[in-house]
Amino acid sequence: MVRIMPLPEELSERPFTVYEARVLGVAPKRLRARDMSDGGRLIYLPAGRDFEFAEQARVLAAATPGAWVSHESAAVLTRLGLPPWLGDCETVHLSKPHELPRVRRTGVTGHRVRVLQGEVTEIDGIPVSSPSRTWLDLAHQ
């Protein structure tokens, strides 16, 4: 019988990136165990758990270098008021500067934008468009 080593406590209840696992010394073989689900490129999920939108946004932004949560997703995280036809959050909106490659990932709507200093902030460790930038992004939809 194969014994599965427990994950570090900070990874056992949330989605995480392979980078976070490496920093905490988790072996690559451990990430392929039965109690883990593949969340897409570089992302792992403890199996059998539903995750909140903020958790999904955090891990997707962490696994996508140079990206931040934007558009509808940023409005949801910053609790901006949205009209009824927006905010369903079927996908996470991520933006990157024009200089970087497009975001192509399952569960993500990618955008390439011109961004000024101060237009990206952090909420609970998640890079997010500032409220004023979010309104600007939503005005184009």
Side-chain angles (χ1 to χ4, degrees):
M1 183 162 130
V2 177
R3 181 165 182 227
I4 298 174
M5 295 294 298
L7 287 171
E9 188 175 329
E10 53 266 39
L11 301 182
S12 63
E13 294 296 320
R14 65 176 178 85
F16 57 90
T17 66
V18 69
Y19 307 122
E20 291 171 307
R22 282 182 191 159
V23 166
L24 294 172
V26 177
K29 185 177 179 179
R30 173 62 181 94
L31 299 176
R32 294 186 297 273
R34 289 174 302 198
D35 66 336
M36 299 299 301
S37 296
D38 182 11
R41 190 175 69 242
L42 304 176
I43 298 174
Y44 293 91
L45 313 164
R49 185 172 180 280
D50 291 329
F51 296 97
E52 294 179 15
F53 180 73
E55 291 175 308
Q56 293 172 353
R58 183 198 62 76
V59 75
L60 286 167
T64 311
W68 63 91
V69 180
S70 64
H71 295 75
E72 287 179 54
S73 302
V76 169
L77 289 178
T78 58
R79 293 179 166 67
L80 293 176
L82 288 173
W85 61 89
L86 292 177
D88 61 3
C89 297
E90 290 180 12
T91 64
V92 174
H93 289 259
L94 293 180
S95 288
K96 287 174 118 178
H98 274 281
E99 304 82 45
L100 296 177
R102 290 189 182 282
V103 179
R104 291 196 173 115
R105 180 181 282 283
T106 303
V108 171
T109 301
H111 306 274
R112 286 181 33 198
V113 299
R114 297 195 197 300
V115 64
L116 301 175
Q117 188 173 7
E119 290 185 330
V120 178
T121 185
E122 264 192 24
I123 297 175
D124 297 328
I126 305 169
V128 180
S129 294
S130 67
S132 57
R133 176 63 200 212
T134 300
W135 280 116
L136 177 66
D137 291 338
L138 291 172
H140 287 122
Q141 290 187 336

